[in-house]
Amino acid sequence: MSGWFSHFMNLHAVYLKWGWIQVSVTNLIVILLMFTIFGLALFLPFPDRRKGDKK
Amino acid sequence: MRKKLNSKEVFDTKPWSGKLREYDIIKEGVIAVVVVSLLVVSLSFLFGSPDEKTLTFRGWAQSNSDNFYATTVQELAGTSTSTTYGRPYNSNGDGLNVGPLFLQKWAGVTHRVTPAKDFVIKPLTLEVQPVEVAAALATWKSATSAQKTKWASNLDNAITKKDGKVMAVPAGDFGPVPALAKGLTEMAKSGALDAALLSQGGFFQTDSTKQILFFGDGAYLDDAGTAANLQGGTWGMMNETGRYPGQAWLWLYSFWYQIPPFNNSDSHPIGANADAYIMFIMGALSLGLVLMPLIPGIRAIPVRIPIHRAIWRNYYANEGIKPRKD
Amino acid sequence: MSKKLWTAKVREAWQRNLPIEKLLPDTQPAYVASWIYVFGVLTLAAFSIILISGLALAFAGPAWYHTSSFGHWVNSLHFWSVQLFFVFMVIHLWGKFWMAAWRGKRLMTWITGSIAFVASIATAFTGYLIQTNFDSQWIAFEAKDGFNSVGIGAFFNVTNLGQMLLLHVAFLPLILGAITFVHVIMVRKRGVVPPIDADENNTKVDSK
């Protein structure tokens, strides 16, 4: 079982370049995803259950 | 001011005496394991994982036999990277240094590698060779080391003069070296060198140091690394083969290799020793991360930049605590 | 009498410092109400999947996943759980930084956590070296220079597959597990850090 998209994943990677900064699209997605998750974790409302409160 | 800070510190230390909320630590743990398991299983089914086949000496000799031949000659001449590397493989160089610190040299030779013998002569001896190669081996073994170096250096220089084109090299005072290099190239092409280097005449083998060093002396591995965008000078440390996510967590380690003075050429005192400098920098920064709460200025950042107002917004709202002004 | 027994001393110290109510709590301070708090336990969850998939890979031997499609899938589980492990851990670290979570005698919690982060990088690195594929050939060749340059390569030889395999499987997970254990115990012992600017005057008021 090598993954449904493993053919696509094994193609040559796409790299983005800004001067001396270079990053693969996949790594960029991972990094942006981390910032997004961090932002969501800060701002999404958290279900509030007080002790003693009935559900 | 100081006094107030201290009482705040004391408060932070005490067990919480305020409002509580329900918390099921076991349930939280179970849900976390279930959620992460589902994520991992989905990702594995969707994308699989990278597993690009190893390079072999067979592949190297078949696809670029001139380069393999020239590298073999360099091993015999003592001009290859691994011959002149220094510690921990041999004493033929001082290795890298940071100012007066020659840590590489001081650590000593702990994995002795003698490229001419280990990469060329020994593998050739492990197989039955054609008559001319066997004769060349005998001549090589009975020659003085000065004579050996002279023959191999002559051929090494002649190949360099012809831009690495072995066939274009005219006859010269090369002794048995052409026959040895030809013999090893043929052995590599057949795949026998992979086995010979692996076993080194023994049965069990778990150390791949010699193969890796020999590989690194030629162009084959380097070209493959460039093609896969894995070179350190272009953030390769963060990258994975194919389109898989790499080691994003190494971004800072990788970063230093992209900027001066560390990306300077090997003729620059810091460029040449970049590996050592960056190792020290990352060591210091790691220590800085571990001891961050003790560093004035940095430890105040999360208090000054009020991201915590978002995290504890309900608490601040309920208790009517206004953002600080200072 | 029993005060003299080592066992009794250890038990009493344990009960004093980490009673079962602290170890397995059913309440949290009311301010512990943000999604940012779940990233510690998510990191632990990813770590547990890394250990299980890694154990499966260890049982079948290092060459298995090149030849068996089931083995390759287990390798994929290992790969993706490591990716998620780092994502969760880094977000956890960011969160704890912005909470200044080392306040109030929680320095050791921060120190053990950040050491666990560095140890994870070392553990993952040895994992990349023992994939026995092109990637590990390349990484071994490149990384040796860094370690050799400061003398570490003399006893930590990244081109030695056997050494890296044993360290990755037998030694580093143990070290990482131990640091993580101490980290979690510290969290439970000290409790979750109070909000910045909280003090005695606003802990008991129920504004709802």
Side-chain angles (χ1 to χ4, degrees):
Chain A
M1 276 172 282
S2 51
W4 293 328
F5 297 112
S6 61
H7 175 72
F8 172 80
M9 293 302 284
N10 281 298
L11 295 176
H12 196 272
V14 180
Y15 286 86
L16 303 174
K17 289 176 195 176
W18 300 273
W20 54 275
I21 296 177
Q22 192 180 121
V23 67
S24 76
V25 170
T26 319
N27 275 352
L28 187 67
I29 291 173
V30 171
I31 292 164
L32 292 179
L33 203 65
M34 286 168 70
F35 285 124
T36 310
I37 296 171
F38 181 66
L40 289 176
L42 293 193
F43 293 105
L44 278 187
F46 189 78
D48 190 24
R49 275 168 303 159
R50 292 287 163 91
K51 189 179 167 73
D53 280 4
K54 291 278 182 294
K55 266 213 174 159
Chain B
M1 196 66 193
R2 180 92 193 145
K3 193 106 182 146
K4 198 180 170 196
L5 210 71
N6 281 344
S7 77
K8 174 72 171 75
E9 272 296 300
V10 170
F11 168 75
D12 285 344
T13 333
K14 281 194 272 184
W16 183 252
S17 54
K19 274 180 296 186
L20 299 171
R21 56 179 282 271
E22 201 176 68
Y23 174 59
D24 193 340
I25 192 171
I26 300 286
K27 190 175 168 188
E28 184 193 49
V30 171
I31 292 175
V33 169
V34 170
V35 168
V36 178
S37 300
L38 288 174
L39 269 173
V40 170
V41 169
S42 314
L43 287 165
S44 67
F45 273 124
L46 286 174
F47 302 118
S49 51
D51 190 20
E52 207 157 288
K53 275 202 167 52
T54 48
L55 300 180
T56 58
F57 287 94
R58 184 164 181 259
W60 180 7
Q62 285 185 347
S63 68
N64 192 350
S65 67
D66 272 6
N67 179 255
F68 183 84
Y69 184 104
T71 307
T72 305
V73 174
Q74 284 177 5
E75 305 296 0
L76 292 173
T79 54
S80 70
T81 309
S82 48
T83 321
T84 54
Y85 193 92
R87 283 76 169 184
Y89 311 122
N90 49 55
S91 322
N92 304 336
D94 281 347
L96 306 194
N97 63 288
V98 170
L101 287 177
F102 283 82
L103 294 175
Q104 179 165 1
K105 189 175 166 185
W106 298 340
V109 178
T110 49
H111 313 280
R112 184 164 295 281
V113 178
T114 315
K117 185 181 113 227
D118 293 328
F119 301 169
V120 185
I121 303 302
K122 199 171 174 190
L124 281 173
T125 325
L126 289 173
E127 268 218 338
V128 179
Q129 298 293 345
V131 184
E132 65 275 19
V133 180
L137 265 175
T139 314
W140 178 267
K141 281 177 181 165
S142 59
T144 63
S145 60
Q147 177 68 67
K148 287 176 185 170
T149 310
K150 188 164 175 263
W151 282 329
S153 304
N154 285 346
L155 183 53
D156 187 16
N157 293 333
I159 295 173
T160 311
K161 230 176 243 170
K162 295 289 174 192
D163 288 332
K165 290 190 184 65
V166 173
M167 296 301 281
V169 174
D173 181 19
F174 307 140
V177 177
L180 295 174
K182 184 85 176 43
L184 198 74
T185 309
E186 290 308 316
M187 200 174 154
K189 278 183 181 168
S190 74
L193 182 61
D194 288 292
L197 279 172
L198 179 70
S199 73
Q200 291 284 329
F203 186 84
F204 291 111
Q205 169 59 289
T206 58
D207 187 351
S208 40
T209 304
K210 287 170 183 167
Q211 294 99 299
I212 297 277
L213 289 184
F214 191 3
F215 247 144
D217 286 340
Y220 190 54
L221 181 66
D222 199 53
D223 290 347
T226 307
N229 238 303
L230 297 176
Q231 292 285 1
T234 51
W235 300 88
M237 199 184 275
M238 289 172 71
N239 295 339
E240 182 55 83
T241 53
R243 292 180 168 178
Y244 288 95
Q247 294 106 287
W249 51 91
L250 292 180
W251 72 271
L252 188 55
Y253 205 123
S254 196
F255 161 77
W256 300 105
Y257 284 95
Q258 321 307 322
I259 58 159
F262 309 109
N263 67 349
N264 286 342
S265 70
D266 280 356
S267 56
H268 186 280
I270 293 180
N273 295 295
D275 281 328
Y277 278 95
I278 293 171
M279 200 60 138
F280 271 105
I281 292 174
M282 288 311 292
L285 289 177
S286 301
L287 197 64
L289 173 72
V290 172
L291 300 177
M292 189 186 283
L294 304 175
I295 304 172
I298 293 180
R299 67 178 173 197
I301 292 173
V303 180
R304 294 278 161 75
I305 302 175
I307 289 180
H308 58 267
R309 297 293 306 189
I311 296 171
W312 293 305
R313 61 185 176 280
N314 290 343
Y315 173 80
Y316 291 135
N318 288 343
E319 307 297 342
I321 302 173
K322 296 271 185 303
R324 53 170 66 197
K325 290 285 191 294
D326 53 28
Chain C
M1 264 313 236
S2 69
K3 279 217 171 104
K4 295 223 162 116
L5 295 179
W6 291 10
T7 310
K9 278 186 181 171
V10 169
R11 186 182 61 226
E12 279 157 24
W14 184 340
Q15 280 172 343
R16 199 168 50 246
N17 287 298
L18 194 67
I20 190 78
E21 293 78 13
K22 270 192 176 181
L23 191 63
L24 293 176
D26 53 12
T27 58
Q28 284 278 49
Y31 57 79
V32 185
S34 166
W35 286 107
I36 198 67
Y37 285 106
V38 304
F39 288 90
V41 69
L42 286 177
T43 310
L44 287 177
F47 187 47
S48 69
I49 300 165
I50 293 174
L51 290 177
I52 293 165
S53 56
L55 201 64
L57 289 171
F59 262 93
W64 174 55
Y65 87 97
H66 298 302
T67 51
S68 147
S69 69
F70 179 61
H72 189 86
W73 179 67
V74 176
N75 182 67
S76 304
L77 293 178
H78 202 60
F79 175 84
W80 286 107
S81 48
V82 169
Q83 288 291 334
L84 290 180
F85 174 75
F86 274 100
V87 167
F88 296 145
M89 183 165 46
V90 169
I91 294 173
H92 176 62
L93 192 153
W94 289 345
K96 294 301 153 185
F97 172 78
W98 289 112
M99 292 186 222
W102 51 75
R103 290 171 293 125
K105 287 192 178 170
R106 290 174 182 84
L107 178 63
M108 278 313 290
T109 316
W110 175 272
I111 288 180
T112 50
S114 50
I115 291 178
F117 176 62
V118 176
S120 302
I121 292 176
T123 311
F125 170 69
T126 53
Y128 279 90
L129 287 170
I130 62 166
Q131 296 172 94
T132 54
N133 58 15
F134 165 65
D135 207 27
S136 17
Q137 285 177 307
W138 177 260
I139 295 172
F141 171 67
E142 285 286 292
K144 73 178 193 312
D145 297 333
F147 289 99
N148 288 340
S149 73
V150 290
I152 298 172
F155 50 90
F156 181 77
N157 179 12
V158 298
T159 55
N160 184 341
L161 174 67
Q163 186 187 2
M164 292 304 118
L165 184 62
L166 288 172
L167 289 180
H168 181 76
V169 175
F171 177 67
L172 290 168
L174 220 68
I175 296 293
L176 184 55
I179 300 167
T180 308
F181 178 78
V182 175
H183 179 66
V184 172
I185 292 295
M186 291 307 297
V187 174
R188 294 271 51 94
K189 177 172 152 62
R190 297 287 181 213
V192 182
V193 76
I196 293 170
D197 296 337
D199 59 42
E200 281 96 338
N201 302 324
N202 40 49
T203 61
K204 298 192 176 79
V205 195
D206 196 338
S207 57
K208 275 213 167 170

